[in-house]
Amino acid sequence: MALDKEETGERVLAIAETLLNEGGMDNLKARTIAEQAGISVGSVYNLFSDLDGVHRAVNMRLLDRLGVAGAAAMADLGRRGITDVRQRLMALAGAYVRFVEAHPGSWPALLAFNRRRSVLTEPDVYEARLDQLFEIIASVLADGGFDLDEDTRRIAARTLWSSVHGIVTSGYAGRSVSRQADEIDRQIELLVAVFIRGLERGGTFAHAGPTAS
Amino acid sequence: MALDKEETGERVLAIAETLLNEGGMDNLKARTIAEQAGISVGSVYNLFSDLDGVHRAVNMRLLDRLGVAGAAAMADLGRRGITDVRQRLMALAGAYVRFVEAHPGSWPALLAFNRRRSVLTEPDVYEARLDQLFEIIASVLADGGFDLDEDTRRIAARTLWSSVHGIVTSGYAGRSVSRQADEIDRQIELLVAVFIRGLERGGTFAHAGPTAS
DNA sequence: AGTTTCCGTGAACAATGTTCACAAACTCAA
DNA sequence: TTGAGTTTGTGAACATTGTTCACGGAAACT
């Protein structure tokens, strides 16, 4: 055998990611993986606990890649000496949009996966990887000259992320990709602009009135 | 037979919704539905094209219910003479949060369903139902005294919706429900506050710089 | 009554996740 | 090298599930 266990595992993950990216969760089949990897079905289960385990591993790779993309976008701006908050936030959002477009099947599959196993599993590893992204956003806000205490900045970073995420996922649900791409750009543009203007005005964001009656 | 075709269909949908709400998409099984409805598997396929058809029908009911919840929240505020933009937006967001909490399994299942059949099917009916919600938000913004042209207002309404949606779905992914509920409230509160302050400052939101280089 | 149409039934088929008894390959001491 | 012990690979077999369809009965209509 030319490949050792770890190499075979990597190959399986690469195949699995392609399958997920091309056909979503329904396309991740044990027999297809085995066939394409040149191993038997049983070996797949020898390498991973089950298909969920394979999917989880693929998801980790995706999250790592997303983190790298975000960090790279920031590094690029830093290299070019750009410190403008708006440009930095747009660069981060743009990195996310491009990441989603580059993973049209596997990223939705990750979201669907998390949704399926909502509260049942330990999302600790996920959270850790996402926190990394929140940190980037929070640091941008910290450098933006806003008058925000650390807690508010933390919330604002998460809110910004969730909002961009919502725009992108809502945007790509239905219709054709091209038609929606422009709509998504406009929404993100408005979101970032409004956010910056809103934060610039300062003030507190403490829990005030009732959410609803 | 005591029930006619339509009544049986309704019963099937009620059962299907319960199944989805309790166990997500994986829990929607033809045989379970048949058993609980007191009919045979074949009859399920006589009433609906396939399980996707059942799920689609359940989703329609959910979207209708969401629309009703939104309209009811607005009607309630109207009855109490409340016209404050912030309160109205918070009421809408609150209605959505409560709706999601009331459908902990079936709503995620709807989202997962849409994600699975991303561009393949006709989401026209979905879009129509969602547009109804966007209209409500847009009308609130129109009454808010902002200096926005109609197009910007449309984008702003969709952005606001997508953002709230993103906050809620990101928030309920992982961890316990109770822990996250407060975080979600704070994020929505900040989002709405920032949005209003940002829009108040007026100005244009035209596509300006490059999204990223 | 006879005919036609519609509807319910559940056995049967195909696809798929998962297991497991067996075999092959490998490790390492004697 | 040999042989015991361990690890790894294999694919047949099983359980579950979506979906179909030939059959039979009920209902409607003539």
Side-chain angles (χ1 to χ4, degrees):
Chain A
M1 188 63 67
L3 304 173
D4 68 0
K5 191 172 175 180
E6 190 172 349
E7 277 178 297
T8 312
E10 291 299 328
R11 178 206 277 258
V12 165
L13 287 185
I15 292 170
E17 184 178 334
T18 303
L19 289 175
L20 284 170
N21 205 34
E22 287 174 349
M25 283 191 63
D26 294 349
N27 206 34
L28 190 69
K29 304 190 227 278
R31 286 171 179 81
T32 310
I33 294 174
E35 187 186 8
Q36 294 195 10
I39 58 180
S40 67
V41 231
S43 291
V44 176
Y45 284 85
N46 202 337
L47 292 165
F48 299 89
S49 62
D50 49 16
L51 281 191
D52 272 12
V54 178
H55 199 166
R56 247 191 304 273
V58 170
N59 288 347
M60 288 307 158
R61 285 161 53 120
L62 290 177
L63 286 175
D64 283 341
R65 212 173 295 160
L66 177 58
V68 169
M74 293 313 293
D76 181 52
L77 258 64
R79 208 175 304 117
R80 293 157 56 199
I82 296 177
T83 57
D84 177 56
V85 192
R86 188 185 151 285
Q87 284 182 286
R88 295 175 99 181
L89 291 180
M90 287 304 291
L92 281 176
Y96 182 51
V97 169
R98 268 178 277 119
F99 175 83
V100 173
E101 284 172 344
H103 304 84
S106 47
W107 184 245
L110 179 148
L111 299 173
F113 183 86
N114 284 357
R115 213 177 297 295
R116 204 154 55 88
R117 319 244 161 282
S118 54
V119 198
L120 303 178
T121 45
E122 19 58 71
D124 303 330
V125 215
Y126 278 68
E127 294 286 338
R129 293 218 176 15
L130 285 179
D131 281 344
Q132 186 187 355
L133 287 170
F134 297 152
E135 280 305 318
I136 299 181
I137 302 177
S139 71
V140 171
L141 292 180
D143 296 344
F146 303 118
D147 181 26
L148 304 172
D149 60 286
E150 187 177 328
D151 186 54
T152 304
R153 201 161 54 223
R154 193 187 67 85
I155 297 282
R158 294 181 97 95
T159 304
L160 206 37
W161 162 264
S162 300
S163 299
V164 171
H165 175 65
I167 289 171
V168 173
T169 52
S170 297
Y172 282 135
R175 307 206 192 185
S176 70
V177 174
S178 57
R179 279 281 306 282
Q180 290 294 69
D182 186 57
E183 171 92 10
I184 290 174
D185 284 347
R186 294 186 65 189
Q187 289 195 29
I188 291 180
E189 204 113 21
L190 186 137
L191 176 78
V192 169
V194 158
F195 230 87
I196 292 175
R197 294 183 192 184
L199 289 181
E200 272 172 356
R201 297 194 54 179
T204 177
F205 298 94
H207 194 83
T211 302
S213 76
Chain B
M1 189 62 68
L3 304 173
D4 68 0
K5 191 172 174 180
E6 190 172 349
E7 276 178 296
T8 313
E10 292 299 328
R11 178 207 278 258
V12 165
L13 287 184
I15 291 169
E17 185 179 333
T18 302
L19 290 175
L20 284 170
N21 205 33
E22 288 174 347
M25 283 192 63
D26 294 348
N27 206 35
L28 190 69
K29 305 189 226 278
R31 286 170 177 80
T32 310
I33 295 174
E35 186 186 8
Q36 294 195 9
I39 59 180
S40 68
V41 230
S43 291
V44 175
Y45 284 84
N46 201 338
L47 292 165
F48 298 89
S49 61
D50 50 14
L51 280 191
D52 272 13
V54 178
H55 199 166
R56 246 191 303 274
V58 170
N59 288 347
M60 288 307 158
R61 284 160 53 117
L62 289 177
L63 286 175
D64 283 340
R65 211 174 296 161
L66 177 58
V68 168
M74 293 312 293
D76 181 51
L77 259 64
R79 208 174 305 118
R80 292 159 55 200
I82 297 178
T83 58
D84 178 56
V85 191
R86 188 185 151 286
Q87 284 182 290
R88 295 175 98 181
L89 291 180
M90 287 304 291
L92 281 176
Y96 181 53
V97 170
R98 267 177 279 118
F99 175 84
V100 173
E101 284 173 345
H103 304 85
S106 47
W107 183 246
L110 179 148
L111 299 172
F113 183 86
N114 284 358
R115 212 177 297 295
R116 203 155 55 89
R117 320 245 160 280
S118 55
V119 200
L120 303 177
T121 45
E122 20 59 73
D124 304 330
V125 216
Y126 278 68
E127 293 285 339
R129 293 221 177 14
L130 285 179
D131 281 343
Q132 185 187 355
L133 286 170
F134 297 152
E135 280 306 317
I136 298 181
I137 301 177
S139 71
V140 171
L141 291 180
D143 296 345
F146 304 118
D147 182 27
L148 305 171
D149 60 287
E150 186 177 328
D151 187 54
T152 303
R153 201 161 54 224
R154 193 187 69 85
I155 298 282
R158 294 181 96 96
T159 304
L160 206 37
W161 162 264
S162 300
S163 299
V164 171
H165 175 64
I167 290 171
V168 173
T169 53
S170 297
Y172 282 135
R175 308 204 192 187
S176 69
V177 174
S178 56
R179 278 282 305 282
Q180 289 295 68
D182 185 57
E183 172 93 10
I184 290 174
D185 283 347
R186 293 187 65 189
Q187 290 195 28
I188 291 180
E189 204 115 21
L190 186 138
L191 176 78
V192 170
V194 158
F195 229 88
I196 292 176
R197 294 183 191 183
L199 289 181
E200 273 172 356
R201 296 194 56 179
T204 176
F205 298 94
H207 196 83
T211 302
S213 76

